[in-house]
Amino acid sequence: MANVLAVAGPNSKYQVPGSGPAGFWAGFWHGLICPITFLVSLFLDGVRIYEINNKGRLYEFGFVLGASAAFGGSGSQTHVVNVSRAY
């Protein structure tokens, strides 16, 4: 039976015989949910954060984009420092 939450691992829909490998959008989804999936994977053996049956670089690119979105984006936000001080 395919995984209801569409997470990676031995019970995922990409491990079913006859199914194709995970592509960009699956990688993006797995990257987005990786913080939660990591916590779940600590307690359940059938859940992983990364799909082994994937299309290679296309899946990995999606995973990295999704993970960067999940962990706060590109980090381009800067901190503004007020340099005008009253002495």
Side-chain angles (χ1 to χ4, degrees), residues 43-64:
F43 303 103
L44 298 176
D45 289 335
V47 176
R48 301 284 183 266
I49 63 171
Y50 190 83
E51 180 61 56
I52 300 299
N53 184 20
N54 63 56
K55 289 186 179 181
R57 291 188 179 125
L58 191 60
Y59 175 84
E60 292 167 357
F61 180 63
F63 187 88
V64 168

Side-chain angles (χ1 to χ4, degrees), residues 3 7-12 37 40-41 43-49:
N3 195 316
V7 295
N11 296 329
S12 75
T37 307
V40 172
S41 72
F43 303 103
L44 298 176
D45 289 335
V47 176
R48 301 284 183 266
I49 63 171

Side-chain angles (χ1 to χ4, degrees), residues 26-86:
F28 185 76
W29 174 249
H30 292 158
L32 276 176
I33 64 172
C34 75
I36 296 166
T37 307
F38 172 70
L39 293 175
V40 172
S41 72
L42 295 175
F43 303 103
L44 298 176
D45 289 335
V47 176
R48 301 284 183 266
I49 63 171
Y50 190 83
E51 180 61 56
I52 300 299
N53 184 20
N54 63 56
K55 289 186 179 181
R57 291 188 179 125
L58 191 60
Y59 175 84
E60 292 167 357
F61 180 63
F63 187 88
V64 168
L65 285 179
S68 68
F71 288 113
S74 66
S76 64
Q77 183 178 2
T78 60
H79 179 71
V80 178
V81 177
N82 187 0
V83 291
S84 61
R85 299 180 188 164

